[in-house]
Amino acid sequence: MDQWERKSSSGRQKIPIEKIPKKRHLQVTFSKRHSGLFKKASELCTLCGVEIAIIVFSPADKAFFGHPEVESIVDRCISPNPTSESGPHPLVEARRNANVRELNMQLTQLLGQLEMERKRGEELDQVRKARQRQFWWENPIQELGFNESPF
């Protein structure tokens, strides 16, 4: 087979968007794709700062909720007089607090790692200085005395 000659393959083809007739195939497709839907919704929330509520029922009539604050978002849509002045819903506030706690834990962990690396750097400096005292010829030439200078 010539290096420029390629095998022809069907590759990734576009399928028509229509309901899948076989119930088993329908369930398999749902189980593979519903997590992608929730991931995209989460990205939209993060990128745009919006709140999204997704409720999906599987072919087996099992409910999947796509956002931790689905109840607060639905309540806001259903209530006749949405009051934005009253502040965020308690569930939204709890989720934000949980995120802040998680970020604070990560910050504390990173600061601990930074301090360990600083101490390690100081120890390496001490070892380097002790070694330079032991082997004077490893010192920079500007630090050598008259008797030690090679010139």
Side-chain angles (χ1 to χ4, degrees), residues 47-126:
L47 293 173
C48 300
V50 296
E51 294 179 353
I52 296 177
I54 299 178
I55 303 172
V56 180
F57 288 92
S58 72
D61 287 332
K62 183 178 177 186
F64 291 85
F65 299 94
H67 200 276
E69 295 93 25
V70 170
E71 293 170 2
S72 67
I73 296 171
V74 171
D75 287 344
R76 197 167 37 175
C77 292
I78 293 174
S79 68
N81 296 326
T83 56
S84 61
E85 301 88 28
S86 65
H89 191 276
L91 290 175
V92 173
E93 191 65 31
R95 178 67 179 170
R96 286 183 185 152
N97 289 341
N99 286 342
V100 168
R101 281 193 300 274
E102 184 179 339
L103 289 171
N104 281 335
M105 287 174 33
Q106 289 177 359
L107 177 63
T108 303
Q109 182 182 10
L110 289 172
L111 288 174
Q113 289 176 350
L114 178 63
E115 187 61 31
M116 285 176 26
E117 291 299 323
R118 280 188 184 142
K119 287 180 182 177
R120 185 170 176 236
E122 289 172 2
E123 290 172 1
L124 288 173
D125 281 344
Q126 289 174 355

Side-chain angles (χ1 to χ4, degrees), residues 1-7:
M1 183 173 177
D2 186 45
Q3 74 179 23
W4 303 108
E5 193 177 324
R6 293 185 181 208
K7 289 183 179 180

